[in-house]
Amino acid sequence: MEQIDDFTDSVISGLETARIKTGMTTQELIQRSGLRRSTYFRKMRGTTDFTTSDIDALAKALGLDPILLLIEAGSDKPQDPIDWASLPEDTRKELALSGMFGFAANDNPDKEAEKRLDAGD
């Protein structure tokens, strides 16, 4: 079995810590996330890699912002959880559009308008 890298280990730890804090059972998390049971356990053991969809589903099932989960997992030092909603709007937009968190653009309220423009509506 491959050794789990530090980042993946931090993501797994963050998910498990959040699950315990919420008092949610593993089975409840699996059901709420929509992941298959076997998929969940393979990812939590580090046997298979997470996709962004997996992280999104698990984080949202736990009531977490998936972007913040990844930011915290990527941090070199422990820190208090970042409250994405408390960040100034300009900062959230900058992060969403910077490419550093490219998938955060999905939370951009202007995203639907952009899609309509791209579709010619």
Side-chain angles (χ1 to χ4, degrees), residues 85-101:
S86 72
L87 293 175
E89 184 176 347
D90 290 347
T91 302
R92 290 194 313 260
K93 278 185 177 180
E94 187 177 322
L95 288 172
L97 297 174
S98 70
M100 182 175 171
F101 302 108

Side-chain angles (χ1 to χ4, degrees), residues 11-23 44 62:
V11 170
I12 292 168
S13 294
L15 289 167
E16 186 63 7
T17 299
R19 184 190 66 76
I20 292 167
K21 280 184 180 178
T22 63
M44 294 300 282
L62 290 163

Side-chain angles (χ1 to χ4, degrees), residues 79-121:
Q79 60 185 346
D80 292 331
I82 300 165
D83 181 6
W84 182 260
S86 72
L87 293 175
E89 184 176 347
D90 290 347
T91 302
R92 290 194 313 260
K93 278 185 177 180
E94 187 177 322
L95 288 172
L97 297 174
S98 70
M100 182 175 171
F101 302 108
F103 48 91
N106 292 330
D107 292 333
N108 184 342
D110 298 325
K111 192 68 175 171
E112 286 303 313
E114 289 175 20
K115 286 181 185 174
R116 287 192 300 274
L117 287 173
D118 290 342
D121 293 343

Side-chain angles (χ1 to χ4, degrees), residues 19-93:
R19 184 190 66 76
I20 292 167
K21 280 184 180 178
T22 63
M24 193 180 299
T25 67
T26 301
Q27 187 57 38
E28 288 172 320
L29 176 56
I30 291 168
Q31 288 174 338
R32 289 181 185 190
S33 70
L35 268 64
R36 291 182 22 186
R37 182 177 172 80
S38 59
T39 299
Y40 172 83
F41 284 110
R42 280 195 310 269
K43 296 192 185 275
M44 294 300 282
R45 281 191 310 265
T47 306
T48 59
D49 292 331
F50 285 97
T51 65
T52 54
S53 296
D54 299 330
I55 292 170
D56 184 56
L58 289 165
K60 287 181 177 174
L62 290 163
L64 301 174
D65 183 314
I67 303 301
L68 298 181
L69 175 72
L70 295 174
I71 290 171
E72 290 169 23
S75 174
D76 288 341
K77 56 187 175 194
Q79 60 185 346
D80 292 331
I82 300 165
D83 181 6
W84 182 260
S86 72
L87 293 175
E89 184 176 347
D90 290 347
T91 302
R92 290 194 313 260
K93 278 185 177 180

